[in-house]
Amino acid sequence: MLNKDEVKDLICDRFWTFRGIDAKKHFSTLFIGTEPGSGMLALCFQHDGSITFPTNVGFEPGEYRYWDLDEEKQEIIFFDYNHQASKRAHLPVQWFGDSLKIELITDSDNTEVFTHEPHVDQYAIKKRVIGGTHMFFTPRSVYKFELFQDLAFLNFDIKLINAENAIINFFSEVYQYAIIHPQLEELVISQLGQPCVQLSQENKILFANKDGQPSYNYFSGERALIVEFLTVVLAENCKRLLNKDDYRNEEEMIQDIILNQFTDRYEVEEIPIMK
């Protein structure tokens, strides 16, 4: 049996991010607000029994204004603006790795939890707006729940791309997302669906090695450089389609761009998942 002081040591002064988990074990975060950039729902329990919101949310949900401990039931009680009990939750338990979870007690088939990942406390979560700052792009067709888990521990959010077959369509979706999310810092574009994150140490685009050549199936880099590369690829593809004398396919065109237009601005490395 834990007393309130012991529970305070467990939950206070930490960032707790809300996550919904459906019957298929798919995770989702909740972004609240009507303005672009309204942040993910996260709580910070205070020692005086109040609750604050460390992200730039559009509004502060009324059901999470105060908290207390029901020592007999060993449950956290959430209170609204009027100090009326609104929700209950189990005490924190160990989750994946070093993370913790507080599971809400509900009648729903879906699970709702607040999770704490130690790496989140290493930077100002108020800067995490829609999509975070580190993004991993991969096709929806290769997505598995384990990929989300592993990337979360690597401090990367995941964006699933719907485009199938044509690599240009895939690149176009990545470009459209990246261009409207200027807060992004580092991007990984992978068609392999494996939780591998490798980045260049020299502000270059890092491509996976495939038979001695850069592979567009896996590459990464800072947002500005990746956006520039995708812009060149998409523009060159338009010209290729309009030029009846250009017999290159998409793959050949991309290789030409990498080798000729990004000389000295890329590097190639062995990626374990490519073997």
Side-chain angles (χ1 to χ4, degrees):
M1 296 281 287
L2 298 181
N3 60 38
K4 190 169 183 179
D5 286 336
E6 291 170 326
V7 172
K8 285 181 180 180
D9 289 338
L10 284 175
I11 68 174
C12 288
D13 302 321
R14 301 173 184 254
F15 294 118
W16 294 90
T17 304
F18 177 87
R19 302 187 190 279
I21 311 174
D22 65 19
K24 294 183 178 180
K25 303 300 182 182
H26 294 157
F27 279 41
S28 63
T29 52
L30 178 62
F31 297 94
I32 56 178
T34 58
E35 299 297 325
S38 295
M40 67 174 71
L41 175 58
L43 305 181
C44 189
F45 296 91
Q46 303 298 319
H47 290 268
D48 64 1
S50 63
I51 292 175
T52 58
F53 300 88
T55 53
N56 55 337
V57 292
F59 63 92
E60 298 179 352
E63 63 267 37
Y64 301 111
R65 301 308 300 142
Y66 306 96
W67 74 275
D68 203 349
L69 174 68
D70 184 330
E71 290 196 30
E72 181 178 349
K73 292 186 176 181
Q74 291 287 280
E75 294 174 355
I76 296 171
I77 311 172
F78 292 98
F79 297 91
D80 62 18
Y81 286 104
N82 299 314
H83 293 272
Q84 298 297 309
S86 58
K87 293 178 181 288
R88 283 178 172 260
H90 298 295
L91 293 182
V93 295
Q94 200 76 25
W95 202 33
F96 303 109
D98 295 329
S99 64
L100 301 172
K101 76 168 180 177
I102 295 173
E103 183 172 340
L104 293 172
I105 300 171
T106 70
D107 296 327
S108 171
D109 292 334
N110 294 336
T111 302
E112 297 179 346
V113 299
F114 283 97
T115 65
H116 165 72
E117 290 84 22
H119 69 261
V120 173
D121 285 337
Q122 296 176 9
Y123 64 100
I125 197 171
K126 65 184 179 181
K127 295 181 180 178
R128 291 192 59 165
V129 292
I130 293 176
T133 59
H134 301 77
M135 189 62 63
F136 188 100
F137 296 87
T138 199
R140 186 177 298 276
S141 59
V142 302
Y143 172 76
K144 294 182 180 179
F145 172 65
E146 292 77 12
L147 178 61
F148 169 84
Q149 294 175 332
D150 293 336
L151 289 173
F153 299 138
L154 294 172
N155 195 19
F156 266 76
D157 293 300
I158 186 170
K159 172 63 178 175
L160 301 181
I161 301 299
N162 295 314
E164 298 285 349
N165 301 321
I167 184 62
I168 293 298
N169 293 340
F170 183 86
F171 282 0
S172 180
E173 277 199 47
V174 173
Y175 171 83
Q176 292 297 330
Y177 187 91
I179 204 70
I180 63 174
H181 290 87
Q183 85 280 357
L184 295 175
E185 296 175 0
E186 294 174 334
L187 311 182
V188 174
I189 293 87
S190 172
Q191 297 194 61
L192 307 174
Q194 298 294 321
C196 179
V197 171
Q198 291 188 221
L199 298 163
S200 171
Q201 300 300 311
E202 301 179 3
N203 192 25
K204 295 182 179 181
I205 302 178
L206 185 150
F207 289 94
N209 179 31
K210 183 179 180 182
D211 300 326
Q213 297 294 323
S215 170
Y216 58 78
N217 283 327
Y218 183 99
F219 60 97
S220 63
E222 294 185 359
R223 173 186 175 274
L225 189 53
I226 295 296
V227 167
E228 180 184 352
F229 172 69
L230 294 177
T231 300
V232 173
V233 169
L234 296 175
E236 185 69 15
N237 186 61
C238 289
K239 292 189 289 184
R240 178 183 70 91
L241 295 175
L242 294 172
N243 184 357
K244 61 183 179 59
D245 296 321
D246 190 337
Y247 299 104
R248 296 175 299 173
N249 59 30
E250 292 179 351
E251 291 80 2
E252 293 169 339
M253 178 198 70
I254 294 170
Q255 287 294 327
D256 285 346
I257 291 172
I258 296 171
L259 299 175
N260 298 319
Q261 298 191 46
F262 284 81
T263 305
D264 299 327
R265 302 180 68 191
Y266 77 90
E267 60 183 284
V268 177
E269 282 196 14
E270 295 292 341
I271 305 296
I273 56 176
M274 294 290 291
K275 295 181 179 179

